[in-house]
Amino acid sequence: EAGVTQFPSHSVIEKGQTVTLRCDPISGHDNLYWYRRVMGKEIKFLLHFVKESKQDESGMPNNRFLAERTGGTYSTLKVQPAELEDSGVYFCASSGYSLLSYNEQFFGPGTRLTVL
Amino acid sequence: DAKTTQPPSMDCAEGRAANLPCNHSTISGNEYVYWYRQIHSQGPQYIIHGLKNNETNEMASLIITEDRKSSTLILPHATLRDTAVYYCIVSLSGGYQKVTFGTGTKLQVIP
């Protein structure tokens, strides 16, 4: 079974440009999460989708970040316009849903974003 | 969520057991202890979780004290591939909760 995949693996853009990150969760997982680690800091939660709905977007830093999950499958995270402080590694995770067990989150390998 | 305290780093000889401690003195009765790890340049990986009883799976064992104020993650036979940052997290049950990572413990397995 394929794991969580993310594209691209690396992205280098200039300040002010737009970048779109993509995440493909494990097939059948309704829950999809975005996290990021900026340089020297801890991994921080950004937002959580349940299917196509935003369940919790309390971690989104500002309105330059837009996440979508049309159709409840893959998700995109757009940064527009990108700023220097947006540089870091963006992780996506997915989990299933069961009332009987812990729904561990499966993480993708991350997208390393560098804003120059 | 309750706060956790972990040592910033630890070393372990290859083949020996690695015992990673975590303090969570403010844990509430319905909060679980979870462990994740992040191997360099990879995404975080779930290891194990528990509420009151000790737990074991193919990766590790989790020992939770009777008062639940601390726990220990045990990797019984550490290998070089276990070198990673290990995160102890306390949270309500339900894997559809966000994971709140702290600073973790950097475990270095030494040949």
Side-chain angles (χ1 to χ4, degrees), chain A residues 8-78:
Chain A
S9 57
H10 292 84
S11 180
V12 180
I13 61 173
E14 293 189 353
K15 176 182 173 182
Q17 289 186 323
T18 297
V19 63
T20 300
L21 313 181
R22 173 171 170 145
C23 169
D24 286 80
I26 291 173
S27 178
H29 280 186
D30 288 341
N31 295 284
L32 187 149
Y33 310 79
W34 285 97
Y35 297 82
R36 76 171 180 177
R37 183 204 293 273
V38 295
M39 187 64 69
K41 300 289 184 63
E42 301 167 9
I43 300 172
K44 293 291 189 184
F45 166 81
L46 295 178
L47 88 160
H48 169 206
F49 283 100
V50 178
K51 297 185 179 179
E52 67 275 8
S53 299
K54 293 176 183 175
Q55 181 75 15
D56 179 357
E57 51 185 329
S58 61
M60 294 289 266
N62 52 60
N63 59 9
R64 295 185 294 103
F65 289 76
L66 175 64
E68 295 181 320
R69 193 184 182 194
T70 306
T73 54
Y74 71 91
S75 174
T76 58
L77 179 65
K78 179 189 288 187

Side-chain angles (χ1 to χ4, degrees), chain B residues 10-83:
Chain B
M10 292 181 64
D11 291 340
C12 177
E14 187 178 17
R16 305 295 295 269
N19 297 281
L20 292 95
C22 179
N23 287 323
H24 32 79
S25 58
T26 61
I27 191 171
S28 61
N30 57 353
E31 288 182 310
Y32 285 68
V33 180
Y34 304 94
W35 284 82
Y36 279 76
R37 73 180 181 182
Q38 186 184 16
I39 296 171
H40 182 61
S41 298
Q42 298 182 21
Q45 176 189 26
Y46 164 82
I47 302 173
I48 198 167
H49 77 283
L51 180 64
K52 294 180 181 179
N53 300 321
N54 298 337
E55 302 288 344
T56 295
N57 62 22
E58 65 279 3
M59 289 182 67
S61 294
L62 175 61
I63 308 299
I64 303 174
T65 58
E66 192 169 345
D67 63 7
R68 300 205 329 120
K69 293 185 177 182
S70 66
S71 60
T72 301
L73 177 74
I74 301 172
L75 307 179
H77 304 288
T79 71
L80 298 178
R81 290 175 295 179
D82 292 321
T83 293

